[in-house]
Amino acid sequence: MAIDAGTGSVRAVVFDVQGRQIGCVQKEWKHLEDPAYPGSMNFDWNVNWNLTCSCIKEVLSNTGIDEKNIAAVSATCMREGIVLYDANGEELWACANVDARAKDEVTQLKQIDPNLEKELYLKSGQAFALGALPRLLWVKNKLPDVYKKIARVGMINDWIIFRLSGVLKVEPSNGSTTGLFDLKTRTWDIEIARRCGIRDDIFPDVIECGTVATKISKEGARQSGLPEGTPLVAGGGDCQLGAIGVGVIEESEAVVFGGSFWQYEFNTNSADCSPKCNVRVNCHAVRNIWQYEALAFNPGLVMRWFRDAFCAEEKRLAAEQNTDPYALLDKAALSVPAGSYGMICAFSDIMNFVNWKHASPSFLNFELDPEKFNKACFYRAIMENTCLVTLGHLKLVHEATGKKPEKIVFAGGAAKSILWPQILADVLGIPVEVPVVKEATALGAAIMAGIGIGMFPNIKDAASSGGSASLVKIEKVFSPNKQNRDVYDKAYQNWHAAYQPLLKLSDDGTTKHMWRSPGL
């Protein structure tokens, strides 16, 4: 069983030993903003634990599986969210992944030393934008009584195992996103905490992903419906376990996850970071492997906005035909040529980790010609823009590492499109592989559960396409079209040149940033 705590929902997923999903129950949850603290994203541990247990019980009931046949359980989650505990193991405070309340604390950290963020980045791979450092300082400054009671800090996937067992341990793939880890040693670095004015006595033990952390306790069994004594295996962050779920486990392999955000993950056997401090580096869930990570903001949300704002007819037809509105839009966009007649679409910028902001969303360079510049054209332009940002991220990581992938695995909701994978192959100029299991995070967690209890001898055997017991299968390969690649090379240059004045307009206050990190 994999328990997957995402940004918008939690789910319990059961797989058989061949990697086939045989049951899934999902419950939506919300992380509400505290009106007193703009940008906050509270994690309600009581409500969310009840939802988690409900998923577990319902998936067992729906599938008719005897709970005694669950060989092991592992957990994965949205990254960056943290949970604070007191000495009795009671939750004190928690936030979800992109909580942005700590703007004052980012300023405070930068006042300690203007070079502090860059110095810490070179050791931890993290910037202040998403890490735990500003959030812990926020608790210290704004909730001093809570801060005094803190005994331990952990991530949300660790919280799931803690709730099932009463044992708290942290694994490096998600733990490293706190900014409080030394990448090379893959564990806490208390000197970072001391430099930032944070207590150095609140860090639990670290164990590697795929290691048995503990077993379900009597109380955990009572609440969840799972048997006491069931092994609990350390899982990891959603992207890292997603990479395992699509077989991206070795050096120089890469994956793009296409969802609300688009993540480009590139595996490396070195914990060195970019001297320009412009790209994130995390521990992979695979031992002795790290990942350069570049994020594009909001492609999935942009598509949802476009569908809901302009595509009522496609939604109506899709309901009549029992299909997806995006499938109808995909078919229409097939008739639009590569480059969308020269239209420039601008949403996310290329990642710049220590100075991370995005211009106001824009469409540029279109004509008042409805035969060309219509709904299908705008839809395709959004697709192309997302792939151009991904090309920028591939270039960014290549500049930092000197290496490029020979192919890309493409997973997530966007990989279900009949068109988007081909555009990605054409823009990047390399083959794009789409796996059978596109929502691979839960599968990655299940693989780690199997490794933890010895069901598979090692991760390569379980997740590599060449492994004897591999649970990862490729459904289709998209090869790049050279003619389209030439069009997209020019489109990339035009988009990149147009984005800088758009960003300046937002910096000047003429337009509103789509997003910018706290403290900027």
Side-chain angles (χ1 to χ4, degrees), residues 1-2 11-26 55-72 437 439 442-443 446 455 471:
M1 179 180 287
R11 57 183 180 155
V13 192
V14 180
F15 295 86
D16 68 16
V17 295
Q18 283 78 44
R20 293 185 292 259
Q21 180 177 309
I22 53 178
C24 176
V25 170
Q26 182 168 321
C55 289
I56 294 169
K57 291 174 181 177
E58 286 186 31
V59 78
L60 293 172
S61 174
N62 293 352
T63 58
I65 295 170
D66 186 335
E67 65 271 14
K68 297 184 179 64
N69 288 332
I70 299 295
V437 177
E439 304 289 355
L443 177 58
M455 186 176 289
L471 309 186

Side-chain angles (χ1 to χ4, degrees), residues 72-140:
V73 178
S74 190
T76 181
C77 71
M78 56 177 148
R79 295 165 306 163
E80 298 97 29
I82 59 173
V83 183
L84 307 180
Y85 307 83
D86 67 15
N88 297 318
E90 298 291 332
E91 296 93 336
L92 288 167
W93 184 89
C95 71
N97 49 1
V98 290
D99 185 288
R101 76 185 77 192
K103 295 179 181 179
D104 293 343
E105 285 68 29
V106 171
T107 301
Q108 179 183 342
L109 286 166
K110 291 182 177 181
Q111 288 172 346
I112 294 172
D113 181 345
N115 294 317
L116 179 63
E117 186 171 24
K118 291 184 177 181
E119 290 175 12
L120 296 185
Y121 165 82
L122 293 172
K123 179 175 277 192
S124 70
Q126 308 299 311
F128 295 152
L130 298 174
L133 288 168
R135 297 168 182 179
L136 288 169
L137 271 181
W138 184 92
V139 175
K140 180 180 179 180

Side-chain angles (χ1 to χ4, degrees), residues 135-390:
R135 297 168 182 179
L136 288 169
L137 271 181
W138 184 92
V139 175
K140 180 180 179 180
N141 293 340
K142 307 296 195 302
L143 303 174
D145 291 340
V146 170
Y147 185 77
K148 290 175 185 175
K149 296 177 182 177
I150 299 172
R152 291 288 183 267
V153 58
M155 315 306 286
I156 291 173
N157 56 312
D158 309 317
W159 168 78
I160 292 169
I161 290 178
F162 174 78
R163 277 283 195 154
L164 288 169
S165 67
V167 175
L168 180 65
K169 295 182 180 179
V170 172
E171 50 71 35
S173 74
N174 201 3
S176 64
T177 69
T178 62
L180 286 157
F181 264 53
D182 183 320
L183 280 177
K184 289 183 169 61
T185 62
R186 297 171 71 93
T187 192
W188 303 107
D189 186 332
I190 60 174
E191 290 301 320
I192 294 177
R194 289 171 179 168
R195 287 193 67 184
C196 297
I198 293 169
R199 287 172 47 193
D200 61 6
D201 60 347
I202 60 174
F203 304 119
D205 292 341
V206 176
I207 59 172
E208 278 289 347
C209 311
T211 304
V212 175
T214 182
K215 296 181 179 179
I216 294 179
S217 67
K218 183 177 182 179
E219 179 61 16
R222 185 189 69 79
Q223 294 181 19
S224 70
L226 291 167
E228 182 180 357
T230 302
L232 294 168
V233 179
D238 52 5
C239 280
Q240 291 94 324
L241 291 194
I244 289 171
V246 298
V248 175
I249 59 173
E250 302 204 46
E251 180 191 6
S252 296
E253 293 181 336
V255 58
V256 171
F257 293 109
S260 297
F261 293 73
W262 272 39
Q263 294 104 344
Y264 170 59
E265 308 283 347
F266 179 80
N267 289 354
T268 173
N269 62 1
S270 167
D272 294 333
C273 298
S274 167
K276 293 186 176 180
C277 309
N278 52 6
V279 61
R280 193 182 199 188
V281 186
N282 304 314
C283 294
H284 197 349
V286 181
R287 296 173 194 245
N288 301 316
I289 295 289
W290 291 262
Q291 288 186 322
Y292 275 77
E293 176 180 87
L295 293 94
F297 267 61
N298 298 339
L301 298 179
V302 171
M303 276 302 195
R304 184 189 302 174
W305 159 77
F306 185 82
R307 179 199 66 189
D308 293 344
F310 303 109
C311 303
E313 178 65 8
E314 285 76 12
K315 291 170 73 173
R316 184 189 66 78
L317 288 172
E320 289 181 359
Q321 300 172 16
N322 194 28
T323 188
D324 192 314
Y326 293 125
L328 299 180
L329 289 163
D330 279 358
K331 290 179 181 178
L334 285 169
S335 64
V336 179
S340 300
Y341 301 108
M343 191 195 307
I344 298 172
C345 171
F347 289 92
S348 178
D349 196 5
I350 297 168
M351 186 174 183
N352 184 358
F353 204 13
V354 297
N355 189 29
W356 205 2
K357 50 193 174 181
H358 306 285
S360 179
S362 305
F363 291 94
L364 307 171
N365 204 40
F366 59 91
E367 301 170 21
L368 304 182
D369 180 352
E371 294 299 317
K372 291 183 176 179
F373 296 95
N374 49 32
K375 193 184 302 182
C377 182
F378 276 75
Y379 179 79
R380 182 175 182 123
I382 295 170
M383 287 183 157
E384 292 178 337
N385 172 253
T386 306
C387 295
L388 294 175
V389 177
T390 304

